[in-house]
């Protein structure tokens, strides 16, 4: 089964040209959907056995098949809209609540809510973001409390969580669980199995002094028997948020802004886990270095993925750096996302990808960029348009929608100053379009893929 938690994915790359009059849109793209467990098949089953795509139910954000990511994208959308003072439709909140299973967990998507859930298919990643959404919305104490009990019941003996219960733990699932517990007011240090707390479980994935210097502080996705831990950018980005005591939505607040400190290792330092007090700073230092090396974006490092920018990991890295008090280190990456993220969020096979749009909206607010002109795009309206009509919107949102009806289109359409928020100016983009047009024009579209740590789909 393809599932939404690893967030590793392929890239839609190239310039999209529609005749000589159209301005190009940068179309590098990576999926915002969470990841599949490593046991998932590496290819989709044959058409003879592939179930028909699930119908998109009323109240759900996005037009794509919700079978793999319905709860994930709904939760991110509700969280981001709430942070921007948009009151979502009752149908949107009701849909998310209706997906919860009797034991407190959420599956990736529950097509028939009249049928009891299969506990083996419940999804820790979906459950984690659903909890954070309901806490952000407020007034949902009972379902949140049930979800906390679900996390306690499904914790592995080493303190970790897996995507589906019963499998070895992984960093993304454990980190998301820690953030959910924090959101719900449950101390992860006190959520333990066989003497191993949630923080202990997370620490087991972090690379310490025994690792190469340029990987120290990073997190691996999952240990491989007989091999040392290997740094993974998405795992590191999501784990860094949890290590810093963060959850969604992230706010800049008035945190002191200081440079991230790399892990200090004396000559001949022994192998061992990174101390909890050093974990967040070490992860932030690793991410800062990787962003600088990649041109202020992280690059896909999932086996089988098409080489290119990892929009999802970059977004989570920005959120984590802000949470840890390193807003200056996050600023350049946020600008890069503003200038390049439109295609990721708005040009999927089924139009707007609500998970991607919501993630960029969370980045905009965390870094104090304008969510109504994020690289030229009204990201608030883009997300609103991907779902049911909200119960209410703030006056600023209504005014923007009325006065700038085209501001959810390609980058540059809403920019009033060159390179505002790191975005591309309309004149620059038209110039590139003419240059490429003279050369003959190119349309390269690579199908978006969801890949996992072992190349599984």
């Amino acid at each position: 089964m393809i599932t939404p938690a690893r967030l590793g994915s392929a890239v839609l790359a190239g310039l999209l040209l529609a005749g000589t009059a159209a301005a190009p849109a940068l179309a590098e793209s990576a999926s915002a959907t969470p990841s599949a467990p490593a046991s998932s098949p590496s290819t989709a089953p044959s058409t003879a056995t592939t179930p028909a795509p699930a119908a998109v139910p009323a109240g759900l954000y996005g037009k794509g098949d919700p079978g793999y990511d319905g709860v994930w994208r709904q939760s991110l959308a509700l969280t981001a809209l709430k942070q921007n003072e948009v009151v979502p439709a009752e149908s949107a909140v009701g849909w998310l609540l209706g997906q919860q299973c009797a034991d407190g967990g959420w599956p990736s998507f529950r097509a028939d809510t009249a049928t009891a859930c299969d506990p083996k298919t419940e999804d820790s990643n979906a459950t984690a973001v659903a909890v954070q959404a309901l806490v952000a919305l407020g007034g949902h104490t009972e379902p949140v409390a049930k979800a906390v009990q679900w996390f306690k019941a499904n914790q592995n003996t080493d303190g970790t969580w897996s995507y589906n219960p019963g499998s070895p733990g992984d960093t993304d699932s454990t980190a998301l669980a820690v953030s959910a517990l924090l959101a719900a007011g449950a101390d992860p240090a006190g959520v333990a199995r066989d003497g191993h707390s949630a923080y202990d479980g997370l620490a087991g994935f972090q690379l310490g002094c025994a690792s190469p210097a340029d990987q120290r502080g990073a997190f691996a996705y999952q240990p491989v028997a007989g091999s040392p831990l290997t740094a993974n950018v998405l795992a590191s980005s999501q784990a860094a948020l949890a290590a810093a005591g963060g959850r969604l939505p992230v706010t800049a607040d008035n945190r002191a802004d200081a440079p991230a400190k790399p892990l200090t290792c004396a000559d001949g330092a022994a192998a061992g886990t990174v101390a909890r007090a050093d974990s967040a700073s070490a992860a932030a230092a690793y991410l800062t270095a990787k962003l600088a090396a990649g041109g202020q974006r992280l690059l896909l490092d999932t086996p089988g993925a098409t080489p290119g920018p990892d929009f999802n990991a970059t977004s989570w890295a920005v959120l984590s750096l802000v949470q840890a008090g390193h807003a200056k280190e996050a600023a350049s990456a946020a600008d890069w996302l503003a200038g390049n993220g439109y295609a990721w969020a708005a040009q999927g096979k089924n139009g707007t990808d609500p998970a991607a749009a919501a993630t960029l909206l969370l980045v905009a607010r965390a870094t104090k960029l304008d969510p109504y002109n994020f690289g030229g795009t009204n990201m608030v309206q883009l997300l609103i348009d991907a779902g049911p009509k909200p119960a209410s919107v703030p006056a600023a949102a209504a005014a923007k929608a009325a006065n700038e009806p085209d501001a959810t289109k390609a980058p540059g359409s809403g920019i009033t100053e060159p390179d505002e928020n790191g975005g591309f100016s309309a004149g620059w983009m038209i110039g590139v379009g003419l240059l490429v047009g003279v050369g003959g024009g190119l349309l390269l579209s690579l199908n978006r893929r969801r890949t996992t740590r072992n190349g599984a789909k």
Side-chain angles (χ1 to χ4, degrees):
M1 172 176 135
I2 303 174
T3 49
R6 250 299 322 124
L7 298 178
S9 54
V11 178
L12 172 62
L15 292 171
L16 303 180
L17 301 175
T20 58
L26 187 69
E28 299 168 296
S29 178
S31 174
T33 327
S35 78
S39 58
S40 296
S42 58
T43 57
S46 67
T47 54
T49 59
T50 302
V56 178
L60 180 64
Y61 284 83
K63 302 300 181 185
D65 179 4
Y68 308 124
D69 73 339
V71 170
W72 176 268
R73 75 197 199 202
Q74 189 80 350
S75 300
L76 291 180
L78 293 175
T79 302
L81 289 174
K82 175 62 178 179
Q83 189 182 25
N84 285 275
E85 301 179 352
V86 175
V87 179
E90 289 185 12
S91 62
V93 180
W95 184 87
L96 181 61
L97 290 168
Q99 291 284 296
Q100 189 176 29
C101 302
D103 63 359
W106 269 264
S108 304
F109 172 69
R110 188 178 175 192
D112 182 5
T113 55
T115 302
C117 297
D118 178 354
K120 296 192 296 294
T121 66
E122 291 177 31
D123 172 349
S124 66
N125 294 235
T127 302
V129 290
V131 166
Q132 292 170 82
L134 293 178
V135 170
L137 291 168
H140 301 286
T141 304
E142 183 177 349
V144 169
K146 288 175 62 178
V148 169
Q149 293 306 311
W150 184 89
F151 278 116
K152 291 179 178 180
N154 289 283
Q155 187 177 22
N156 291 331
T157 55
D158 59 358
T160 67
W161 281 268
S162 56
Y163 185 88
N164 298 121
S167 298
D170 64 79
T171 296
D172 302 275
S173 299
T174 303
L176 290 167
V178 168
S179 290
L181 292 170
L182 289 166
D187 183 2
V191 178
R193 178 67 62 87
D194 287 2
H196 297 103
S197 74
Y199 283 130
D200 294 333
L202 192 63
F205 298 113
Q206 192 166 22
L207 282 67
C209 290
S211 299
D214 63 348
Q215 293 191 36
R216 292 171 186 166
F219 285 79
Y221 168 59
Q222 202 171 44
V224 176
S227 300
L229 293 176
T230 303
N232 176 266
V233 294
L234 180 60
S236 299
S237 299
Q238 293 185 323
L241 179 62
R247 37 86 169 214
L248 302 177
V250 173
T251 56
D253 296 332
N254 295 312
R255 295 186 184 90
D257 196 351
K261 295 182 179 180
L263 189 64
T264 301
C265 296
D267 291 341
T273 57
V274 178
R276 184 177 159 198
D278 300 326
S279 179
S281 181
Y286 166 78
L287 291 172
T288 300
K290 291 294 286 186
L291 286 167
Q296 298 307 322
R297 75 264 178 90
L298 297 175
L299 303 177
L300 288 161
D301 61 3
T302 304
T306 304
D310 191 331
F311 286 86
N312 203 32
T314 303
S315 299
W316 282 87
V318 168
L319 296 173
S320 296
L321 288 171
V322 172
Q323 175 65 37
H326 310 300
K328 289 181 180 177
E329 282 95 332
S332 294
D335 284 343
W336 185 88
L337 287 166
N340 297 275
Y342 174 83
W344 179 51
Q347 293 184 330
K349 180 175 66 175
N350 298 292
T352 297
D353 180 337
T359 304
L360 291 179
L361 189 50
L362 290 168
V363 165
R365 285 299 303 270
T367 56
K368 299 183 178 180
L369 295 179
D370 185 356
Y372 297 105
N373 186 1
F374 189 66
T377 299
N378 183 339
M379 201 58 66
V380 178
Q381 193 63 43
L382 186 70
L383 187 54
I384 287 174
D385 291 346
K389 182 179 179 180
S392 68
V393 297
K400 283 282 184 179
N403 297 329
E404 300 178 20
D406 294 328
T408 58
K409 295 184 179 179
S413 60
I415 293 178
T416 56
E417 298 179 13
D419 299 321
E420 184 176 349
N421 284 355
F424 298 117
S425 71
W428 182 92
M429 297 189 70
I430 292 170
V432 171
L434 291 173
L435 269 175
V436 177
V438 169
L442 171 67
L443 178 60
L444 174 61
S445 177
L446 302 177
N447 289 331
R448 187 179 66 182
R449 303 169 193 153
R450 298 185 182 95
T451 55
T452 61
R453 172 75 346 235
N454 292 326
K457 192 173 177 181

